[in-house]
Amino acid sequence: MSWHIVHILTYFGDSMLLIPTAAIMALLLHHKSDNKRTAWYWLLAFCTAGAVVSLSKIAFLGFGIGSARFNFTGFSGHSAMSATLWPVMLWLLSARLPTIWRTAAIAIGYLIPLMVGISRLVLNYHSVSEVVSGLILGFTLSSAFLIGQRHTRPRGFSLWQLSIALLVPLLLIGHGRIATTQQFLQRLSVQIAGIDHAWTREELLKLRQ
């Protein structure tokens, strides 16, 4: 696997891509679903993933709460957020496809986050425990949403509507700009905890020695 492909895969979990995409999905669900609460359920699932990831990172960066044994400094945000979004995204876009093709599309939605998680490990951004826990968190939320909406059948997309729905995500992928979420959380954690610098993985692992 080339480094270029790895970086493309990891971008499928970047907040710069996922947050605008999640907002677009909420608008689509509002207009395409007969149940107007569906959009709110989606926002609840996505925001819950973001909140849990952020709190886990603040707990470590600000207060050193983690696990040296499992090399855990917080949920992998890329893994958790992509596992929350992509299964639902593919479910939404495949709304009017025959069952076999819709099932295949949703399966791809579950496969994408797995590839994102692998890319985070290859790039050495996270430990196995952080990626696995992030995937579990995200898949739990997306699966809960899909199970809850199993009787919901969003209206299909015309080619024009599909193009509009995918335009922003495709432009963001093409641009490749990376979110600065981690830096923001580091600054926020330092301010909340009232410390000079954020905790690092190296400091945590020293506790194991």
Side-chain angles (χ1 to χ4, degrees):
M1 187 182 295
S2 72
W3 285 107
H4 180 66
I5 294 176
V6 171
H7 281 283
I8 291 176
L9 287 173
T10 208
Y11 194 70
F12 275 82
D14 195 276
S15 296
M16 186 64 71
L17 170 64
L18 298 189
I19 291 176
T21 303
I24 292 171
M25 289 170 60
L27 291 174
L28 293 175
L29 285 167
H30 178 75
H31 290 290
K32 290 292 183 178
S33 176
D34 293 331
N35 184 358
K36 299 306 178 185
R37 289 178 295 181
T38 301
W40 292 107
Y41 290 145
W42 160 241
L43 287 175
L44 176 62
F46 187 78
C47 291
T48 297
V52 172
V53 168
S54 297
L55 288 174
S56 73
K57 290 181 178 293
I58 290 172
F60 172 71
L61 294 169
F63 302 93
I65 299 174
S67 173
R69 178 181 178 184
F70 295 105
N71 193 10
F72 182 82
T73 64
F75 295 99
S76 164
H78 281 65
S79 302
M81 304 304 284
S82 63
T84 305
L85 184 138
W86 292 113
V88 179
M89 177 67 156
L90 271 294
W91 167 82
L92 175 61
L93 295 181
S94 63
R96 290 300 173 181
L97 292 179
T99 301
I100 187 172
W101 292 111
R102 193 175 200 213
T103 301
I106 295 173
I108 292 173
Y110 278 92
L111 177 62
I112 291 172
L114 291 176
M115 299 304 293
V116 171
I118 291 172
S119 73
R120 302 304 285 174
L121 293 175
V122 171
L123 293 170
N124 201 31
Y125 287 144
H126 285 290
S127 67
V128 173
S129 66
E130 292 163 356
V131 168
V132 171
S133 61
L135 289 173
I136 291 174
L137 170 62
F139 284 144
T140 298
L141 290 167
S142 58
S143 297
F145 174 86
L146 292 177
I147 292 171
Q149 300 301 313
R150 61 189 180 279
H151 299 305
T152 301
R153 192 76 168 176
R155 292 184 292 275
F157 295 86
S158 67
L159 182 60
W160 172 249
Q161 290 173 330
L162 186 61
S163 299
I164 294 297
L166 295 176
L167 179 60
V168 171
L170 289 174
L171 287 175
L172 289 170
I173 291 173
H175 189 274
R177 185 177 179 182
I178 298 173
T180 57
T181 310
Q182 184 69 17
Q183 291 83 348
F184 168 76
L185 288 174
Q186 286 178 343
R187 293 193 297 269
L188 179 62
S189 300
V190 167
Q191 292 177 353
I192 292 175
I195 55 180
D196 294 329
H197 68 277
W199 275 72
T200 66
R201 188 183 301 276
E202 290 72 21
E203 290 172 328
L204 177 68
L205 294 180
K206 284 181 181 178
L207 300 177
R208 192 171 59 181
Q209 297 175 357

